Amino acid sequence: GAGVSQSPSNKVTEKGKDVELRCDPISGHTALYWYRQRLGQGLEFLIYFQGNSAPDKSGLPSDRFSAERTGESVSTLTIQRTQQEDSAVYLCASSLDRGRTGNTIYFGEGSWLTVV
Amino acid sequence: DAKTTQPPSMDCAEGRAANLPCNHSTISGNEYVYWYRQIHSQGPQYIIHGLKNNETNEMASLIITEDRKSSTLILPHATLRDTAVYYCIARANNAGNMLTFGGGTRLMVKP
């Protein structure tokens, strides 16, 4: 696609429910990132996928958070038993490859999650 | 990523050039200067990047000093839609996954 696509753009869920957020990276981009941004705060790294390598999950805040990616395509971020502190915008980004000249990371518009 | 310093806020008149400075005095030789902006409630938008030469694209120009310790992002004809927070980042190609945005500069374009 022309850009990184995320869905849903907005999600309101009840505390304790599970949510799935989807990211469709730019075609051909092997690297995919998930970040979280709480209102008025900076980016918080969650997880990174690079091709078929094992993902870097070092940023996931708890075992309620998980993400999958099949090959170099769509990724899904799952939050189980949501809590109010999970309310944030979840940003997906992709890039061609780490190490290439000018490794520009492109972001999607984000999925706004509100846990009530 | 090298530390970057930007003024917290700037105003610019609509139609005039907006010049946004960034200091990165500890930048390493393999670190690129990237600029992103974030318009309220939207994902960060890539603007431009460069290593040591000045760069220009359809959105902006990037001027990097010869010693690479500072740079300036230029929006040649600012519009109201350019009101956003602008982030300057120094980042190597083999950088980790942490993309750290500092405080950035909140640019307010006024009619």
Side-chain angles (χ1 to χ4, degrees):
Chain A
V4 178
S5 177
Q6 292 187 247
S7 62
S9 54
N10 284 286
K11 175 74 175 179
V12 180
T13 190
E14 291 181 354
K15 179 181 173 181
K17 295 285 182 67
D18 298 351
V19 296
E20 281 191 356
L21 307 176
R22 175 189 167 105
C23 174
D24 200 344
I26 293 173
S27 178
H29 280 194
T30 58
L32 186 147
Y33 312 75
W34 282 99
Y35 293 88
R36 177 170 70 179
Q37 187 174 31
R38 292 194 169 103
L39 194 62
Q41 299 187 19
L43 293 180
E44 178 184 4
F45 167 73
L46 297 177
I47 189 169
Y48 164 75
F49 295 91
Q50 172 58 55
N52 293 318
S53 301
D56 178 351
K57 303 179 182 180
S58 60
L60 294 178
S62 77
D63 59 7
R64 296 187 295 106
F65 288 73
S66 62
E68 293 185 350
R69 186 185 188 196
T70 304
E72 297 180 358
S73 61
V74 170
S75 175
T76 302
L77 177 70
T78 302
I79 308 172
Q80 295 178 311
R81 305 181 302 281
T82 52
Q83 303 294 314
Q84 288 186 327
E85 66 261 25
D86 299 334
S87 296
V89 61
Y90 289 81
L91 293 162
C92 179
S94 70
S95 64
L96 270 173
D97 190 8
R98 258 191 343 186
R100 291 178 65 131
T101 300
N103 181 21
T104 302
I105 297 174
Y106 296 92
F107 287 83
E109 288 301 316
S111 291
W112 278 94
L113 175 66
T114 303
V115 182
V116 297
Chain B
D1 299 352
K3 178 178 169 58
T4 61
T5 304
Q6 300 175 253
S9 64
M10 289 181 63
D11 289 345
C12 177
E14 187 179 17
R16 304 296 294 268
N19 298 293
L20 293 95
C22 180
N23 286 325
H24 31 80
S25 58
T26 61
I27 194 170
S28 301
N30 66 340
E31 288 182 316
Y32 288 74
V33 179
Y34 285 84
W35 284 83
Y36 285 82
R37 72 181 181 185
Q38 192 167 25
I39 297 170
H40 180 63
S41 302
Q42 298 182 17
Q45 179 187 22
Y46 164 77
I47 301 173
I48 199 167
H49 76 280
L51 185 62
K52 51 185 176 181
N53 296 324
N54 298 336
E55 302 288 344
T56 296
N57 63 20
E58 65 279 3
M59 289 182 68
S61 294
L62 174 60
I63 308 298
I64 303 174
T65 58
E66 192 170 342
D67 62 8
R68 300 208 328 121
K69 292 186 176 182
S70 66
S71 61
T72 301
L73 178 75
I74 301 172
L75 307 178
H77 305 286
T79 70
L80 298 179
R81 287 179 295 178
D82 292 323
T83 293
V85 180
Y86 287 77
Y87 297 98
C88 167
I89 302 166
R91 181 175 172 82
N93 283 345
N94 59 353
N97 305 315
M98 306 290 179
L99 187 66
T100 303
F101 286 15
T105 296
R106 185 172 297 277
L107 176 68
M108 180 72 70
V109 180
K110 299 184 175 180

